Amino acid sequence: MLLDGKALSNKIKDEIKSKTKNYLIKPTLAVIQIGNDEASNIYIRTKAKACEYVGINFIHTKFEEEALEQEIINKIIELNNDPYVNGILIQLPIPSKFNQYKLLNLINKDKDVDGLTNINMGMLFKGNNNLIPCTPNGIIKLLEEYNIDLKGKHAVVVGRSNLVGKPLSMLLLQKDATVTICHSKTEHLDYFTKQADILISAVGKKDLITKEMVKENAVVIDVGMNRVDGKLYGDVNYDEIKDIASYITPVPGGVGPMTVAMLLYNVLRNYEKNL
Ligand code: NAP
């Protein structure tokens, strides 16, 4: 069965829209872009469109790669202090000459709608969640929507990034799954994936997960986004696995739309907290 992230994200967006239309002052999301990464331009346009649809103001500040670090710091401080700004994110990746770690951690933890500051990550680690990274949160919401119980289930997460793999593993643990985390140095990846009741791949390699690696009736979540000859593919060989899995996310139309919906959700959550 298909886990339809697009349908659920549309439902969440419509719920947000129905709330914002009652607000005289609209919630506001501020996006900081540094440099001119092509994929970032596309993601920012997608976020701007989604904000427009649900009635969230969108402020986009773009710095040239030659910008001074201090200019960016000043902007983050200004947005932190602006009571009308409910969410701030730095579109990643940023040029390597900038200290991403330092800049991210300047964002006020209650406006950090990507959930990537040390404080929010630490709170997630301790089970005292504040703002949660959007992709992992979207995956949990999708599993909940289809009443997929995680308690006692073996969840295998392939990928250990701070953006997806690690925070997702913490959320799965909070849901009482037994969690295994695999990465590029894992030996015999298929040994682990074959044990998974819930298999999540967040790597960025087309066809990494083939049918020999998946247990019958597993739930398969494909986070990967790999563009080949202008077409988008996940990490999972969907055609091979769709008849083995009990549930599977398509690419596109699975995890991607949920990520954007959770961003809007985080902005609205902060706005409503301050009403
Ligand atoms: P990342 O930071 O590059 O992390 C990739 C992870 O995969 C790393 O932990 C790496 O291991 C691991 N890995 C690499 N090759 C592997 C292999 N052969 N076997 C097992 N593990 C391997 O990427 P990310 O930011 O987490 O993103 C992962 C993918 O998800 C990308 O395709 C990205 O575009 C996509 N993504 C999608 C969404 C969405 O909304 N759908 C959101 C975010 C990301 P090491 O740690 O050992 O290097």
Side-chain angles (χ1 to χ4, degrees):
M1 187 177 177
L2 203 71
L3 290 171
D4 192 342
K6 191 155 178 27
L8 179 57
S9 84
N10 285 339
K11 187 169 128 188
I12 293 169
K13 284 197 278 187
D14 284 336
E15 280 165 15
I16 295 173
K17 189 178 180 169
S18 69
K19 288 188 172 179
T20 61
K21 78 168 189 289
N22 299 318
Y23 299 141
L24 277 178
I25 298 171
K26 303 295 180 201
T28 295
L29 169 66
V31 172
I32 295 174
Q33 182 180 12
I34 311 168
N36 194 33
D37 179 74
E38 198 43 52
S40 292
N41 289 334
I42 296 170
Y43 292 138
I44 289 171
R45 274 203 297 276
T46 305
K47 289 170 188 174
K49 239 176 88 183
C51 281
E52 193 185 351
Y53 178 77
V54 301
I56 290 178
N57 291 327
F58 188 81
I59 304 175
H60 177 197
T61 308
K62 188 168 182 172
F63 290 96
E64 300 299 325
E65 196 164 340
E66 295 71 34
L68 296 176
E69 185 190 57
Q70 193 57 47
E71 293 177 68
I72 299 162
I73 292 173
N74 290 346
K75 176 51 76 175
I76 297 171
I77 293 169
E78 180 194 316
L79 294 168
N80 277 341
N81 291 332
D82 185 338
Y84 292 104
V85 171
N86 310 100
I88 305 169
L89 69 84
I90 298 174
Q91 184 67 44
L92 302 177
I94 61 174
S96 56
K97 70 174 217 194
F98 293 101
N99 184 340
Q100 175 179 310
Y101 182 83
K102 175 179 171 187
L103 293 177
L104 278 177
N105 280 298
L106 287 169
I107 298 174
N108 179 320
K109 81 169 194 335
D110 292 319
K111 296 191 180 189
D112 167 32
V113 281
D114 265 348
L116 294 177
T117 56
N118 287 356
I119 297 181
N120 283 326
M121 281 283 188
M123 290 175 85
L124 175 63
F125 192 87
K126 287 188 145 189
N128 177 24
N129 302 355
N130 186 38
L131 285 161
I132 304 170
C134 301
T135 303
N137 203 14
I139 292 169
I140 297 293
K141 287 274 183 295
L142 196 54
L143 293 168
E144 283 174 356
E145 176 74 6
Y146 286 83
N147 296 314
I148 296 169
D149 191 18
L150 296 168
K151 194 183 283 177
K153 297 283 162 36
H154 188 185
V156 175
V157 179
V158 190
R160 58 174 165 180
S161 70
N162 289 327
L163 194 64
V164 188
K166 278 188 217 160
L168 177 62
S169 302
M170 289 301 125
L171 290 172
L172 291 165
L173 262 187
Q174 288 179 15
K175 294 275 182 191
D176 293 328
T178 301
V179 182
T180 299
I181 308 174
C182 301
H183 47 79
S184 68
K185 310 293 184 295
T186 298
E187 291 182 4
H188 308 298
L189 181 63
D190 60 337
Y191 169 80
F192 296 99
T193 59
K194 259 194 273 191
Q195 295 177 39
D197 301 310
I198 321 280
L199 175 61
I200 298 145
S201 183
V203 171
K205 284 202 166 83
K206 180 177 177 285
D207 291 334
L208 176 74
I209 307 293
T210 56
K211 70 169 187 294
E212 298 76 24
M213 299 169 77
V214 179
K215 186 167 84 174
E216 187 92 12
N217 287 326
V219 175
V220 179
I221 308 281
D222 192 352
V223 186
M225 293 207 296
N226 308 295
R227 215 165 266 286
V228 181
D229 296 331
K231 200 169 168 232
L232 192 63
Y233 297 89
D235 293 344
V236 171
N237 189 320
Y238 179 86
D239 290 332
E240 270 187 20
I241 292 169
K242 66 178 190 315
D243 297 325
I244 304 174
S246 56
Y247 292 91
I248 187 165
T249 56
V251 177
V255 175
M258 288 304 298
T259 298
V260 179
M262 286 301 105
L263 173 65
L264 306 170
Y265 173 92
N266 277 347
V267 176
L268 185 73
R269 173 187 176 274
N270 279 354
Y271 176 90
E272 290 185 333
K273 242 170 77 177
N274 295 316
L275 281 179

